[in-house]
Short mmCIF file of all heavy atoms in Angstrom, two decimals:
data_model
loop_
_atom_site.label_atom_id
_atom_site.label_comp_id
_atom_site.label_asym_id
_atom_site.label_seq_id
_atom_site.Cartn_x
_atom_site.Cartn_y
_atom_site.Cartn_z
N ARG A 3 6.52 -39.98 10.47
CA ARG A 3 5.25 -39.30 10.18
C ARG A 3 4.94 -38.37 11.34
O ARG A 3 5.05 -38.74 12.49
CB ARG A 3 4.11 -40.31 10.02
CG ARG A 3 4.23 -41.18 8.79
CD ARG A 3 3.04 -42.09 8.68
NE ARG A 3 1.81 -41.34 8.59
CZ ARG A 3 0.59 -41.90 8.73
NH1 ARG A 3 0.47 -43.17 8.98
NH2 ARG A 3 -0.48 -41.13 8.63
N VAL A 23 -15.68 -17.91 0.21
CA VAL A 23 -15.69 -17.63 -1.22
C VAL A 23 -17.08 -17.90 -1.79
O VAL A 23 -17.58 -17.13 -2.62
CB VAL A 23 -14.63 -18.48 -1.95
CG1 VAL A 23 -14.79 -18.34 -3.47
CG2 VAL A 23 -13.23 -18.04 -1.52
N TRP A 41 -7.91 -2.61 -4.37
CA TRP A 41 -7.25 -2.00 -5.52
C TRP A 41 -6.97 -0.53 -5.26
O TRP A 41 -5.93 0.00 -5.68
CB TRP A 41 -8.10 -2.17 -6.77
CG TRP A 41 -8.02 -3.55 -7.34
CD1 TRP A 41 -9.02 -4.47 -7.41
CD2 TRP A 41 -6.86 -4.18 -7.88
NE1 TRP A 41 -8.54 -5.65 -7.97
CE2 TRP A 41 -7.22 -5.49 -8.26
CE3 TRP A 41 -5.52 -3.77 -8.07
CZ2 TRP A 41 -6.34 -6.39 -8.84
CZ3 TRP A 41 -4.61 -4.67 -8.63
CH2 TRP A 41 -5.03 -5.95 -9.01
N TYR A 65 4.68 1.67 3.69
CA TYR A 65 3.49 1.49 2.86
C TYR A 65 3.42 0.09 2.29
O TYR A 65 2.36 -0.56 2.35
CB TYR A 65 3.48 2.50 1.71
CG TYR A 65 2.48 2.12 0.63
CD1 TYR A 65 1.11 2.27 0.85
CD2 TYR A 65 2.89 1.56 -0.57
CE1 TYR A 65 0.18 1.89 -0.10
CE2 TYR A 65 1.97 1.16 -1.52
CZ TYR A 65 0.62 1.33 -1.30
OH TYR A 65 -0.29 0.92 -2.23
N TYR A 103 4.08 9.58 8.11
CA TYR A 103 4.95 10.08 9.17
C TYR A 103 6.38 10.22 8.70
O TYR A 103 7.01 11.27 8.87
CB TYR A 103 4.84 9.13 10.36
CG TYR A 103 5.90 9.28 11.45
CD1 TYR A 103 5.73 10.21 12.47
CD2 TYR A 103 7.01 8.47 11.45
CE1 TYR A 103 6.69 10.34 13.47
CE2 TYR A 103 7.98 8.57 12.45
CZ TYR A 103 7.81 9.52 13.45
OH TYR A 103 8.75 9.63 14.45
N GLN A 154 -8.16 12.48 13.77
CA GLN A 154 -7.69 11.78 14.97
C GLN A 154 -8.82 10.96 15.61
O GLN A 154 -8.58 9.89 16.14
CB GLN A 154 -7.14 12.77 15.98
CG GLN A 154 -5.82 13.40 15.61
CD GLN A 154 -5.31 14.31 16.69
OE1 GLN A 154 -4.57 13.88 17.58
NE2 GLN A 154 -5.68 15.58 16.64
N VAL A 178 -14.45 -14.63 19.13
CA VAL A 178 -14.95 -13.32 18.68
C VAL A 178 -16.37 -13.02 19.18
O VAL A 178 -17.20 -12.49 18.44
CB VAL A 178 -14.86 -13.16 17.14
CG1 VAL A 178 -13.43 -12.97 16.72
CG2 VAL A 178 -15.48 -14.37 16.41
N THR A 199 -14.13 -2.61 9.07
CA THR A 199 -12.90 -2.09 9.69
C THR A 199 -11.83 -1.86 8.64
O THR A 199 -11.12 -0.84 8.66
CB THR A 199 -12.40 -3.04 10.79
OG1 THR A 199 -13.47 -3.31 11.72
CG2 THR A 199 -11.22 -2.45 11.53
N ILE A 203 -9.94 1.81 7.75
CA ILE A 203 -8.49 2.00 7.71
C ILE A 203 -8.05 2.49 6.35
O ILE A 203 -7.25 3.43 6.25
CB ILE A 203 -7.78 0.67 8.07
CG1 ILE A 203 -8.10 0.28 9.51
CG2 ILE A 203 -6.26 0.80 7.87
CD1 ILE A 203 -7.60 -1.11 9.90
N ILE A 241 -7.70 6.24 -11.47
CA ILE A 241 -7.31 6.09 -10.08
C ILE A 241 -7.92 7.19 -9.23
O ILE A 241 -8.43 6.94 -8.13
CB ILE A 241 -5.77 6.08 -9.94
CG1 ILE A 241 -5.19 4.83 -10.58
CG2 ILE A 241 -5.36 6.16 -8.47
CD1 ILE A 241 -3.68 4.75 -10.54
N GLY A 302 21.20 -8.65 -10.03
CA GLY A 302 21.98 -8.85 -11.23
C GLY A 302 21.14 -9.13 -12.46
O GLY A 302 19.91 -9.22 -12.39
#
Side-chain angles (χ1 to χ4, degrees):
R3 292 182 60 192
V23 171
W41 284 114
Y65 165 74
Y103 166 85
Q154 289 183 90
V178 286
T199 306
I203 295 172
I241 293 178

